[in-house]
Amino acid sequence: MAADDLTLRVAPRGTLAGRLRVPGDKSISHRAIMLGALAEGETRVGGFLEGEDCLATLRAFRALGVDIQGPEDGEVRIRGVGLHGLRAPAAPLDMGNSGTSMRLMAGLLAGQPFDTVLTGDASLTRRPMRRVTDPLARMGARIDTSADGTPPLHIHGGTPLQGRDYALPVASAQVKSSLLLAGLYARGRTCITEPAPTRDHTERMLAGFGLAVERGEGRVCLQGGGRLQGTRIQVPGDISSAAFFLVGASIAPDCRLTLEHVGMNPTRTGVIDILRLMGADIRVENPREVGGEPVADLTVSSAPLQGVEIPPALVPLAIDEFPALFVAAACARGRTVLTDAAELRVKESDRIQVMADGLLRLGIQAEPTADGMVIQGGDPDGGEVDSHGDHRVAMAFAMAALRARGPIRIRHCANVNTSFPGFVSLAAGAGLPIEAEENGA
Ligand code: S3P
């Protein structure tokens, strides 16, 4: 569906209550397909996110010759072909809107004996790829980008890779993971040092597939030429999807909502820390571990939020949650200041500019800066905003309606399906007065 095909309309004064389960984690679902495909034997995945991004990864591996059954009710069966069993695809691989698919697969495909071309939609083909192609080139990979470093990527196969020691200039789990996947095919050791902790699902999952991964403070290494053994993966709920409800139930009066089975990997929980600094009432219940990832139920109740200066150390741990956090700040008392978050400008949209534009349309003082935003909290007006085809911007503004003085209409929302299929019905079931208008009618 084209991104201009869906408009969301949300009435004001809803409340959120009850219990719900958000769909599976996007990052973990991508990795489950990738590592399952490269493993020996069968991998069974439960709780797989059937969103467009992860389906793009799944289709790409089918095109690379991997037999994948499902998804059916979140169950996927992958018949792994081993590290050297992929086959040349007949056509370019379309990664849709998914930066994770493109960047991780660039590393993995650099180690193959055949050429591949990776393409994507209008948003993805604007996103920077040199952050992966430059360090991969140092390992020996040959990958062409367009002149400004954006997709399509033409990956030349048959080039031997050499393990390297690489210090990431920006905290990026996608770059780290891309290099680790290339490292599986490299001679010697591949080591990556990161400037700040980023999500570590790749490292955890490689270990779950039986590969020796050495991990130290801010550093991860692996030896090329290992083997992955097929396994069972249970994907937890995506904390990045839960984040919209954490914000919504905090800002609206009389809410009490339990989100079940949410992934609580400590490299992902910055949103809870930031919301708590703002005064949110979030209780973590039944902490447990499922398939190498921590999981818990979260109960969130309405609470008056205060503006804060967001600690820079929390930024990489909440990198996808800033659209929702900007809405929390817009409904808080006082000023919220975000710095050290220039990465937000190169996500599915320029999330600093797009969110500031939308908040201004709703009468909130939001001042974009080069690497963040200054927001003066208040009570948002109703109005029309544009998500610019960015799923997280769309869902964040949907939650803003809970505190707005009038209805909010959000344009270009079809991409909500990239990460959160069923968002409208799940949110409506919890009490958000939301309706989808097909074809922007
Ligand atoms: C992701 C890493 C993050 C995040 C993206 C998913 C991943 O990107 O924003 O949605 O699955 O590795 P960066 O690593 O580029 O920050």
Side-chain angles (χ1 to χ4, degrees):
M1 189 190 282
D4 57 357
D5 277 355
L6 191 76
T7 296
L8 296 178
R9 191 178 48 215
V10 194
R13 286 183 290 279
T15 53
L16 299 177
R19 302 179 76 84
L20 62 83
R21 195 162 166 153
V22 297
D25 188 275
K26 180 156 77 74
S27 294
I28 296 175
S29 296
H30 281 300
R31 288 157 171 83
I33 297 288
M34 294 179 192
L35 298 192
L38 300 182
E40 291 167 25
E42 188 178 83
T43 290
R44 293 176 63 174
V45 187
F48 178 78
L49 172 63
E50 298 181 35
E52 282 304 319
D53 279 11
C54 298
L55 292 174
T57 292
L58 186 151
R59 284 191 283 264
F61 277 91
R62 277 198 185 126
L64 290 160
V66 183
D67 177 5
I68 305 177
Q69 307 287 318
E72 221 181 279
D73 289 336
E75 282 285 321
V76 180
R77 276 172 183 246
I78 308 156
R79 201 168 302 206
V81 295
L83 274 185
H84 301 285
L86 296 178
R87 290 205 307 266
L93 301 178
D94 184 356
M95 312 280 79
N97 194 244
S98 177
T100 306
S101 309
M102 186 170 287
R103 295 200 178 112
L104 270 59
M105 289 188 69
L108 189 158
L109 292 168
Q112 305 303 322
F114 50 80
D115 289 13
T116 343
V117 177
L118 302 182
T119 63
D121 71 4
S123 154
L124 183 53
T125 48
R126 281 195 297 268
R127 295 181 66 185
M129 291 296 145
R130 287 206 177 111
R131 54 181 57 202
V132 286
T133 58
D134 283 352
L136 287 170
R138 289 199 210 174
M139 295 175 74
R142 274 211 308 131
I143 305 179
D144 305 326
T145 64
S146 61
D148 59 354
T150 57
L153 301 184
H154 187 144
I155 303 167
H156 299 271
T159 47
L161 302 183
Q162 176 64 47
R164 296 268 180 242
D165 208 315
Y166 185 70
L168 295 178
V170 282
S172 167
Q174 291 180 348
V175 180
K176 173 177 64 174
S177 302
S178 181
L179 302 181
L180 288 174
L181 292 172
L184 293 174
Y185 292 91
R187 282 183 42 183
R189 264 156 69 87
T190 298
C191 291
I192 295 128
T193 309
E194 41 185 8
T198 65
R199 67 193 66 193
D200 64 356
H201 306 301
T202 305
E203 298 90 305
R204 284 176 187 250
M205 202 183 285
L206 281 169
F209 276 86
L211 195 97
V213 180
E214 293 163 51
R215 300 189 61 186
E217 193 72 355
R219 189 171 160 84
V220 52
C221 299
L222 60 75
Q223 187 74 33
R227 296 166 78 164
L228 306 179
Q229 187 56 49
T231 187
R232 165 95 201 153
I233 293 170
Q234 193 57 41
V235 182
D238 197 329
I239 190 169
S240 297
S241 298
F244 303 106
F245 292 97
L246 295 178
V247 168
S250 295
I251 60 175
D254 305 323
C255 297
R256 185 184 166 87
L257 184 69
T258 298
L259 303 161
E260 297 172 346
H261 202 76
V262 179
M264 290 289 284
N265 182 310
T267 60
R268 298 284 299 280
T269 48
V271 61
I272 296 178
D273 299 332
I274 294 169
L275 284 173
R276 280 182 171 158
L277 284 176
M278 298 177 80
D281 176 357
I282 300 171
R283 285 208 321 256
V284 177
E285 291 151 348
N286 306 322
R288 53 205 183 266
E289 188 160 310
V290 179
E293 290 279 351
V295 170
D297 303 325
L298 303 178
T299 293
V300 50
S301 305
S302 315
L305 301 185
Q306 300 283 335
V308 290
E309 294 198 2
I310 296 174
L314 291 177
V315 170
L317 309 179
I319 194 66
D320 289 342
E321 284 62 80
F322 284 101
L325 286 167
F326 291 148
V327 166
C331 299
R333 272 173 72 102
R335 208 166 71 122
T336 294
V337 182
L338 173 68
T339 56
D340 281 69
E343 275 296 294
L344 295 181
R345 292 205 177 268
V346 290
K347 293 294 179 188
E348 286 83 330
S349 70
D350 175 344
R351 288 182 174 163
I352 292 176
Q353 194 60 50
V354 167
M355 285 301 302
D357 289 347
L359 291 173
L360 285 166
R361 294 287 299 251
L362 302 179
I364 296 293
Q365 276 180 46
E367 188 194 321
T369 62
D371 68 346
M373 191 154 13
V374 181
I375 296 173
Q376 188 66 44
D379 281 311
D381 296 327
E384 182 168 293
V385 297
D386 191 335
S387 80
H388 288 263
D390 186 325
H391 54 136
R392 300 203 195 280
V393 171
M395 291 184 276
F397 280 120
M399 292 298 165
L402 288 161
R403 270 281 292 279
R405 281 190 275 244
I408 296 183
R409 235 173 141 250
I410 312 151
R411 303 204 48 222
H412 299 143
C413 294
N415 279 339
V416 164
N417 275 329
T418 61
S419 69
F420 202 150
F423 169 74
V424 170
S425 55
L426 202 69
L432 188 72
I434 184 169
E435 277 174 19
E437 301 172 6
E438 298 287 333
N439 304 317

